[in-house]
Amino acid sequence: MTVLAVLCLLLLQTGAHGFGIFNGKSLSHQAITERAALNVTVQVCRSLALSEGRDFTFPRQPFTASSVAAACGASKSLKSFIKTIQRIQRKNLQTDIKYALSARRHCDNEELDAGKKIITDGLSVIKASNKQQNFVSATSSLGRIFHTLQDFYSHSNWVEIGHKFPNTNLIKANARVGNIAAKTRATCQRCAGNDCRNNIRSDILKNNILTSGYFSVNSFSKPSGKCSHGGVLDSTSLMEPKGGINKDTLDSSHGHLHSQAANMAIAATSELLEDVRIAAGDKAFLEMMGLFKGKPLCFVVDTTGSMGDDIAAVKEVTASIIDSKLGTPDEPSVYVLVPFSDPDFGPLIRTTDPEIFKAYINSLRAAGGGDIPELSLSGLQLALTGAPPNSEIFIFTDAPAKDKHLRNPVIALIEQTKSVVNFMITNVLGIRQQTPGKGNQQQSYRMARADGQLYRDLAQTSGGQAVEVSKRNLLEAINILTESTSSSLVTLLQASRNPGKTEIFPFSVDESVRNLTIYTTGSNVEFTLIDPSGVVQNYVNTAGSSIISSQTVGNLHTVKLLTLAGVWEIGIVSNNPYSLKVVGESSIDFLFDFIVESDGPFGGFDVIDNRPTAGENASLLVTLFGSDSATVTEVTLVESSGSGQVNGTVEAQGGGEYIVHFDRIPSVEFVVLVKGQNNDGVSRASSRFFQRQSATSLRASVLTVTADELDIVLEPGSLKSVLFSVTTTGEGGRFTIQATNDQDLPLFYPTNLLLSAGGSANGTVNVTAPAHTPSGTVVTLTVGAVAPGGADTNYAVLHLTVLPKVTDFTPPVCKRLSLQNRCSKNCNQLMWEVSIQVSDGVNGTGVDSVSLREGSGTMNISTAADNTTTVTYVASCCSSKMQLVVVDKVGNVEICSFSAASWTSRVDYSVLLFFVFTFLKVCL
């Protein structure tokens, strides 16, 4: 059972509206989504492997995220793969929770055309977002439209009519859903007692007329003779003709068709994913799904005049990382660069090509700067929204932040993305030299303690380091922190103390851990280390069996250890502020989300998007992965800067999922600590115990901030109003509102809202994207609320996708210009050649990409002055078939198939559907 399947189970026990789990037999939206995602991902990995001349072995069925990641050669990115699937599932589930009564989102009330528009509009958003590499936005939109797509097969009579394949027209904007019953036409008759199998009128089925059930939880008069959805909560099912036609579960009105509807929904979801895959390309699709090799490499660089030495170090370490990691499992999956100075920051550069990234890094020049503070937080904000979630970000500066007002929005994005931020601060000597500039003057500036503390606070919240080092030693410090860029890096222990204090920190190391490393930051920090065998080392005497090496650069001290399984202790002695972090590489890790009981009509639980509510009990959903034999025994909320902790009650849900209940949440920053056992039958009993800790620190809040996600499209040049609400469970007063965005667009919103004790208030943020904004640009809008006195804050983060009105719904066209066939029975020495003209029609947006999907020949593409694209393909007669994938600028796809004898032009999903239904027969 998946993470959100657990939530769905709780939801459906109160009567959810859509595919659900009942007695563990029926298939939920979450299960349908996961199966389709795994199916298509396997096919993409196979296709990519074959195109690169690599062998591919299908994982055993039923597929799991772990087995698919392994088959794709991306086991180290299992965490991001699972998280992506969970994000899609979660957005799918939220349609039931937040929009339960929206007929079009569930294909109810015969609103099938409106439901289809949700799907096709969402597809436009997904394809535009993918084109700009905004994969979080794309996968969130996938989840939303999957629910509507899947409900079509459960709530309409498509299956009852006798269709064996999905309705492909649902994902084609210029096609009809089908012949929908007129509002005045009767579609159902009364059920025979409790048997509703034959309640759809025979003339409706015979004439291939589409209908869907009417649904309402309140008193509602459905049109005469119409079908109802059915179920306890559907008031229309008590009106003539009584009964229902939904196939949500095996016990639904048409539960006898549940399996057929669920299988059809899996095939339809796979078909939609295949369309997305073709438009994006195989590599981009896998990146969208969170499958890649190493961690992203993300640098945020101050480019003002005094940063010349720092930029030189960044250039050198970039070349070193690329040269040493290229072609290895830890090769960075994507490279991100954000320059900043004052008054400018950006643009964000994101590429998967290491040579392009090198070129951008090498083009950086130190110049200007004006006054001392710089827009460091603006640059960091852009990096947090542009880099993939769970990235490790390095920010280089020798100046304080000029944009300190972004502190809370940056913390919100850190909590949302779970990215780690490391600050490399080179102003430790207190003097910032500026190159001659305005007035040919030089300025000196000593970074105030408060300025440096802002960077230390942000680093601590993210689980990163604030390294203070001279410019001369910067390169050495970067090399230490970037040495491990593995996606399988896990945190065993992390703590900070301000003011410093003497304390002993125990931590468990299991046999799955490799490359065990301790990092401490701070001045005059002494430590004593006791390994599992009882051997003691200290900061002076580092010679011993368990220490491999020890290194100090600036305020950063690093100790590499032999990986001895068992319980370790590290004792820190210092009166100065310090941080401690213990990491290693391991396949065993965890994901978590706070969950809350939904206030929607169907109850159940929803995932909390921001901070959990303070002063109340709480529930946590934990996903453990990386070992089938590992189990969770303890989950604790531990204060980040203190020794306080709150123990939870763990309830295993199966499949690596656990729900943990807490009677309270710490009133200060905290992290999640998970402990358990790995009963693999190989490890010694003393080394089976493991612990993992979240890198990101969290806070509880008496405030709740929500923003409307109903429409996330931002049309260029047009004003968009985003509704938000603020609720407090504490005292009333005037609450400060702060809205920011990563694209530096002007925002208009109320600067404060007046709330009564335990009350709420609404507001609106108005935003306009310039008319020239590229399609697919994502504007990350953060709306924060600050309680009177400033001690408590919460936020909502919304991803708006810039998308002009789409008027091109027609796929490109392939036209064969010539075919030269010299083939005979003896194909070895003979070649064939085809010349093809590709166009997008008079009113089309133009051809965006042409790629070879099948064929081992050579393809050449040329574009004439009139934008006519000509493709020439030459291949051996032994390889007599080829397929072109042609995509226009809004993502319409055409697959053109040619052979030495003939050609066709069509989008053909038959192979995919054959695979899907074959898979279903085996797994179901």
Side-chain angles (χ1 to χ4, degrees):
M1 190 180 294
T2 61
V3 177
L4 290 178
V6 175
L7 296 186
C8 197
L9 172 60
L10 297 171
L11 176 70
L12 287 158
Q13 286 174 342
T14 59
H17 186 42
F19 281 115
I21 289 179
F22 191 84
N23 294 332
K25 296 179 181 179
S26 303
L27 284 178
S28 70
H29 281 285
Q30 283 59 54
I32 290 169
T33 297
E34 182 179 47
R35 291 191 184 191
L38 296 178
N39 291 350
V40 176
T41 301
V42 164
Q43 289 299 310
V44 174
C45 289
R46 176 182 179 273
S47 175
L48 189 61
L50 296 180
S51 69
E52 295 175 349
R54 296 183 285 109
D55 292 332
F56 182 84
T57 302
F58 277 100
R60 294 180 62 182
Q61 296 179 347
F63 298 159
T64 65
S66 178
S67 67
V68 169
C72 293
S75 290
K76 288 189 174 183
S77 62
L78 177 59
K79 185 173 186 175
S80 60
F81 185 39
I82 292 175
K83 189 63 178 177
T84 299
I85 294 175
Q86 288 182 351
R87 184 186 308 119
I88 297 171
Q89 291 174 313
R90 171 183 168 189
K91 293 301 180 182
N92 187 324
L93 177 65
Q94 284 181 345
T95 302
D96 261 342
I97 294 175
K98 294 185 177 181
Y99 310 110
L101 304 182
S102 171
R104 61 194 181 104
R105 292 182 181 276
H106 301 281
C107 291
D108 290 335
N109 301 8
E110 296 183 322
E111 293 192 21
L112 303 180
D113 281 330
K116 178 200 163 186
K117 189 174 189 305
I118 288 174
I119 296 167
T120 54
D121 286 353
L123 262 176
S124 296
V125 170
I126 292 160
K127 292 177 179 180
S129 298
N130 277 341
K131 194 173 178 181
Q132 296 292 331
Q133 297 181 313
N134 292 314
F135 300 125
V136 171
S137 175
T139 48
S140 296
S141 293
L142 272 174
R144 296 185 187 104
I145 68 173
F146 277 170
H147 193 101
T148 304
L149 178 72
Q150 293 160 5
D151 269 355
F152 173 82
Y153 299 99
S154 177
H155 295 182
S156 79
N157 64 330
W158 181 265
V159 173
E160 284 86 345
I161 287 173
H163 291 291
K164 302 300 181 184
F165 291 95
N167 185 349
T168 302
N169 287 350
L170 284 172
I171 64 174
K172 295 179 179 178
N174 61 340
R176 295 177 66 243
V177 175
N179 186 15
I180 302 174
K183 289 295 182 184
T184 57
R185 182 162 185 172
T187 56
C188 265
Q189 57 196 8
R190 187 173 189 175
C191 298
N194 293 326
D195 186 357
C196 293
R197 296 187 186 194
N198 299 310
N199 63 333
I200 299 178
R201 295 175 64 94
S202 59
D203 61 306
I204 296 294
L205 300 178
K206 180 179 179 180
N207 294 309
N208 228 4
I209 295 174
L210 287 175
T211 185
S212 66
Y214 281 73
F215 177 86
S216 178
V217 296
N218 302 312
S219 178
F220 173 76
S221 179
K222 68 181 178 182
S224 176
K226 290 297 184 182
C227 303
S228 291
H229 175 82
V232 176
L233 294 180
D234 178 20
S235 65
T236 74
S237 66
L238 302 178
M239 302 171 54
E240 295 291 349
K242 295 181 179 181
I245 65 169
N246 86 82
K247 296 163 283 294
D248 292 342
T249 71
L250 291 169
D251 289 343
S252 296
S253 302
H254 278 203
H256 62 289
L257 297 175
H258 169 78
S259 294
Q260 291 94 312
N263 293 348
M264 194 85 74
I266 294 173
T269 306
S270 300
E271 182 185 43
L272 189 150
L273 280 172
E274 177 71 4
D275 186 65
V276 171
R277 169 248 184 128
I278 294 171
D282 287 353
K283 290 184 178 179
F285 180 88
L286 293 180
E287 191 176 352
M288 179 193 79
M289 293 302 299
L291 278 178
F292 40 73
K293 291 184 178 179
K295 275 187 175 181
L297 182 64
C298 184
F299 289 160
V300 182
V301 184
D302 184 344
T303 60
T304 48
S306 61
M307 288 290 291
D309 293 340
D310 305 58
I311 292 173
V314 172
K315 292 177 180 178
E316 186 170 341
V317 79
T318 299
S320 175
I321 291 173
I322 290 174
D323 293 342
S324 63
K325 304 293 185 182
L326 197 63
T328 72
D330 291 327
E331 177 184 344
S333 57
V334 65
Y335 302 87
V336 178
L337 172 65
V338 180
F340 69 90
S341 56
D342 179 24
D344 299 317
F345 65 94
L348 180 141
I349 306 300
R350 175 171 171 155
T351 179
T352 57
D353 189 326
E355 294 305 318
I356 291 177
F357 187 67
K358 271 187 185 180
Y360 277 117
I361 289 287
N362 290 334
S363 70
L364 293 178
R365 298 290 182 270
D371 56 354
I372 298 300
E374 309 298 346
L375 298 179
S376 54
L377 298 195
S378 296
L380 177 56
Q381 181 185 40
L382 187 57
L384 285 165
T385 58
N390 297 294
S391 290
E392 187 153 14
I393 299 171
F394 295 88
I395 181 166
F396 301 86
T397 187
D398 62 358
K402 188 173 189 176
D403 43 6
K404 298 176 184 177
H405 64 282
L406 292 178
R407 178 183 184 275
N408 286 341
V410 164
I411 289 176
L413 291 172
I414 288 172
E415 293 179 5
Q416 283 268 308
T417 63
K418 304 293 192 297
S419 289
V420 174
V421 181
N422 298 292
F423 288 87
M424 312 301 292
I425 308 166
T426 56
N427 194 30
V428 292
L429 298 181
I431 302 295
R432 176 173 181 172
Q433 297 286 340
Q434 276 198 288
T435 54
K438 299 177 182 179
N440 292 323
Q441 297 177 346
Q442 286 191 332
Q443 296 178 329
S444 65
Y445 179 86
R446 179 173 296 275
M447 187 183 289
R449 180 74 185 173
D451 293 318
Q453 191 60 44
L454 171 61
Y455 292 152
R456 286 187 284 272
D457 289 344
L458 294 176
Q460 176 193 320
T461 295
S462 73
Q465 312 283 348
V467 179
E468 301 171 8
V469 64
S470 67
K471 291 180 181 292
R472 182 179 66 254
N473 294 325
L474 175 61
L475 180 60
E476 186 180 2
I478 306 173
N479 281 327
I480 291 172
L481 289 183
T482 59
E483 185 174 346
S484 178
T485 56
S486 171
S487 296
S488 58
L489 199 69
V490 297
T491 301
L492 305 184
L493 173 68
Q494 183 164 294
S496 64
R497 297 293 182 262
N498 185 12
K501 58 180 291 190
T502 298
E503 192 166 344
I504 296 175
F505 300 89
F507 59 95
S508 295
V509 176
D510 59 284
E511 289 194 347
S512 73
V513 176
R514 299 290 181 268
N515 298 326
L516 188 61
T517 306
I518 296 174
Y519 298 103
T520 62
T521 61
S523 59
N524 299 319
V525 178
E526 302 174 0
F527 74 88
T528 299
L529 187 67
I530 304 176
D531 70 20
S533 64
V535 176
V536 179
Q537 291 93 28
N538 57 43
Y539 72 103
V540 175
N541 175 27
T542 59
S545 61
S546 58
I547 292 183
I548 298 174
S549 65
S550 178
Q551 190 174 5
T552 300
V553 182
N555 72 331
L556 174 66
H557 190 73
T558 308
V559 180
K560 292 185 176 298
L561 303 173
L562 291 174
T563 306
L564 301 179
V567 178
W568 294 66
E569 287 186 356
I570 180 168
I572 302 291
V573 179
S574 180
N575 292 322
N576 298 317
Y578 62 83
S579 70
L580 167 67
K581 187 173 184 178
V582 182
V583 301
E585 292 182 36
S586 172
S587 60
I588 299 176
D589 203 356
F590 75 102
L591 291 163
F592 70 93
D593 283 298
F594 279 97
I595 57 176
V596 64
E597 187 172 355
S598 169
D599 58 1
F602 303 115
F605 290 85
D606 191 14
V607 174
I608 297 176
D609 285 318
N610 39 42
R611 293 176 173 174
T613 303
E616 298 180 359
N617 55 25
S619 296
L620 194 68
L621 200 60
V622 173
T623 306
L624 185 69
F625 59 87
S627 172
D628 293 336
S629 58
T631 57
V632 172
T633 57
E634 299 178 36
V635 179
T636 309
L637 306 181
V638 181
E639 293 179 5
S640 302
S641 300
S643 56
Q645 61 183 43
V646 179
N647 296 321
T649 302
V650 180
E651 297 178 358
Q653 305 295 312
E657 312 300 338
Y658 301 83
I659 292 180
V660 188
H661 301 285
F662 300 93
D663 58 9
R664 64 182 180 88
I665 299 178
S667 58
V668 295
E669 274 194 334
F670 63 89
V671 293
V672 179
L673 176 63
V674 172
K675 294 184 178 182
Q677 296 185 51
N678 186 18
N679 303 308
D680 57 7
V682 178
S683 303
R684 293 177 291 106
S686 61
S687 59
R688 292 176 184 171
F689 297 98
F690 68 85
Q691 73 176 63
R692 302 291 185 267
Q693 185 178 295
S694 65
T696 309
S697 292
L698 303 172
R699 279 184 180 272
S701 174
V702 299
L703 304 177
T704 300
V705 183
T706 58
D708 184 12
E709 295 184 357
L710 192 60
D711 182 9
I712 51 112
V713 173
L714 183 58
E715 186 177 340
S718 298
L719 177 70
K720 183 173 185 63
S721 296
V722 177
L723 302 177
F724 69 92
S725 65
V726 181
T727 304
T728 179
T729 59
E731 297 180 357
R734 194 163 294 278
F735 291 71
T736 302
I737 304 300
Q738 180 186 23
T740 63
N741 71 92
D742 61 333
Q743 300 296 325
D744 204 26
L745 301 180
L747 302 175
F748 302 94
Y749 58 93
T751 56
N752 60 77
L753 291 175
L754 184 62
L755 275 70
S756 59
S760 63
N762 300 323
T764 302
V765 178
N766 292 322
V767 58
T768 303
H772 57 77
T773 307
S775 175
T777 299
V778 170
V779 178
T780 301
L781 176 66
T782 305
V783 181
V786 183
D792 191 8
T793 67
N794 208 342
Y795 57 85
V797 177
L798 190 64
H799 302 285
L800 303 173
T801 301
V802 176
L803 188 68
K805 283 186 177 179
V806 178
T807 57
D808 178 9
F809 303 114
T810 305
V813 176
C814 298
K815 178 182 179 182
R816 190 184 70 181
L817 300 178
S818 65
L819 174 65
Q820 299 180 37
N821 182 351
R822 307 180 185 92
C823 299
S824 66
K825 290 183 179 180
N826 184 8
C827 65
N828 291 326
Q829 304 299 321
L830 300 175
M831 308 291 288
W832 69 285
E833 178 179 334
V834 64
S835 180
I836 308 145
Q837 184 183 81
V838 178
S839 62
D840 195 34
V842 177
N843 298 317
T845 51
V847 174
D848 186 60
S849 67
V850 179
S851 59
L852 188 64
R853 190 186 193 197
E854 179 184 340
S856 58
T858 302
M859 182 175 68
N860 291 309
I861 303 172
S862 61
T863 303
D866 61 355
N867 288 327
T868 301
T869 300
T870 302
V871 178
T872 302
Y873 178 80
V874 180
S876 164
C877 288
C878 297
S879 177
S880 62
K881 295 181 180 180
M882 64 90 78
Q883 274 190 346
L884 285 180
V885 174
V886 187
V887 184
D888 67 16
K889 295 186 184 298
V890 294
N892 294 313
V893 173
E894 185 74 357
I895 300 177
C896 307
S897 300
F898 297 84
S899 72
S902 61
W903 73 282
T904 60
S905 175
R906 63 192 178 95
V907 179
D908 186 358
Y909 295 111
S910 60
V911 175
L912 173 71
L913 294 177
F914 174 79
F915 169 78
V916 169
F917 279 103
T918 301
F919 173 79
L920 291 173
K921 289 178 182 178
V922 172
C923 295
L924 299 179

